[in-house]
Amino acid sequence: MRAWPLLAVALLACPVPSHADEELRSFLIVGDAIPDTLTGKPGDAARGRTVVATRQQGLCLLCHSGPFPEERFQGNLAPSLAGAGGRWSEAQLRLRLVDAQRLNPDTIMPPYYKVSGLQRVAPAFAGKTLLSAEQIEDVVAYLATLKD
Amino acid sequence: MRRLALVVLAVFAATYAFAQTADKRRSGYADMDASVQKMQDDDTANPAMLWVQEGEALWGKPVGSANLACADCHTPARLGGMAGVAARYPAWSPALGRAIDLEGRLQLCRTLHQKGPALADESRELLALTAFVARQSRGQPVASPDDRRLDATLRSGETLYKRRQGQLNLSCAQCHDDNAGQKLAAVTIPQAHPTAYPLYRLEWQALGSLKRRLRNCLIGVRAEPYPYSAPEYVALELYLAKRAQGMKVEAPGVRP
C-alpha cells in the first residue's frame, strides 16, 4: 500500500552504498549501445537478479514487472522485464541502464550510471551513481538471461 | 427570438455537459479503499477532527503582546468568517509583497496582529489552526484568485513542476500528469490535487501539511527537499491550486 514513501524512508535511513569513492568508469557509446563492459569482465547474473528484485537496490520493480513471484508489488509504468534479453543485446541493455535518456529524451527510467546533469540531488546521493559499475554488469548479465 | 434563445440555451447546456464529462480530474480520494474514504467522510471517524477541535480552542485563545484571539478580530461583524477562505489560497499578500499560502497567512496574523512569535513549521498548533480554518471551506470549489500579481509565482510553480530533479531525475509532471492512475509498485499515482490538505495520513499517524507531502515526493526522487520556508513550496502550491480550480475542497482529508 505505502511502498513508495516507505521506500524513500528506508533509502534515507539505511547507510547508502557509496559508489562515489569509485571513479566513474569511462565508456564508449556506439549507436544505441555500449559494446564493452564497464568493468572489463562479465557480470554475475545471480547477483544481478538480486539487484533487480530488491526494490531498495535497483528500484526496477517500482516501474517494471517481471519474473519475480516473490515480489508481490510490481509497477506497471514500464514494459515487463520478461524477454528483455531476447529483445536487446547486452550492449544495448548496458546503455539503457547507464543512461536511458540517451535512447528516449522523455523517459522516466532513471539514469543508473550518471552523476552529471542532475538537479538538486539530495546531499546523501550527490556525486553517486544509482548502481556501481559492477552492479550494472551484474544486472546486464541477468537481463540477458531473460530470453522469453 | 424565443427560438434563438432556446438554441442558445441548448448549445450552452451541451457545452456545459461536455465540459463536465471532459473533466478528467479526480481527487486522490477516488483511488482510496472504501474504508479510508469512509474515515474521511465521517467526522466521528476522521482523526483529523482532533486537530480541528484543537484549532477551534486555539482560535478563541488570546495570544501575544496584543493579547488578542483570532476570534476577537475575525467576528462575522468585523472581518467575516473563514468560510471559503482556504479555497482561495495561496493568495497575494500586500503586506509582504509576495504570494503566501494559508499557513503563511496565519503566521502573518500571529506576528502582525497578535504580536506573538511565529509558530514553528509543521507544529501541532499551526496544523490545528490551519485545519480549523480549512474545514470551513469543505465542499466549496477551489477558487484560486485571478490576480495578476500572482502570475510570476504561478509561472515559477509550473516550471518547478515540470523540471526533472533528484538522483532519479523525475519531474512532478512525469508522475502526476503523464502516469497518473498507473502503479508505482503497489501505489496508484494520484493526479496530485491539493484539495484535502492539511490531512491525516495513516502512514504518518498524524496530520500533515501539503508541504510535508511535497517533501515526501522530493525525498522519493532523492532530491533535496526545500526548507519549509522556501518560496518554491508556495509556487508549487499555487500551481496545484490552479490545476484544481473548481474541484471540491475536502480538507481535512485522510490518506493511506
Side-chain angles (χ1 to χ4, degrees), chain A residues 54-94:
Chain A
T54 316
R55 245 191 269 146
Q56 287 83 339
Q57 281 193 47
L59 311 173
C60 316
L61 301 188
L62 281 177
C63 298
H64 290 276
S65 56
F68 308 99
E70 74 276 24
E71 274 294 324
R72 212 147 68 82
F73 298 116
Q74 309 189 6
N76 68 0
L77 302 178
S80 167
L81 294 177
R87 291 189 290 276
W88 309 102
S89 70
E90 292 197 16
Q92 287 172 316
L93 291 167
R94 190 172 293 114

Side-chain angles (χ1 to χ4, degrees), chain A residues 89-126:
Chain A
S89 70
E90 292 197 16
Q92 287 172 316
L93 291 167
R94 190 172 293 114
L95 177 56
R96 154 76 53 195
L97 286 168
V98 164
D99 188 0
Q101 251 188 296
R102 301 246 187 188
L103 302 167
N104 170 8
D106 298 326
T107 192
I108 56 168
M109 179 154 156
Y112 280 90
Y113 199 70
K114 175 173 157 170
V115 291
S116 59
L118 305 176
Q119 302 198 46
R120 305 196 64 264
V121 176
F125 302 101

Side-chain angles (χ1 to χ4, degrees), chain A residues 114-137:
Chain A
K114 175 173 157 170
V115 291
S116 59
L118 305 176
Q119 302 198 46
R120 305 196 64 264
V121 176
F125 302 101
K128 296 173 186 169
T129 57
L130 268 160
L131 293 178
S132 68
E134 283 73 21
Q135 286 174 317
I136 297 279
E137 291 309 327

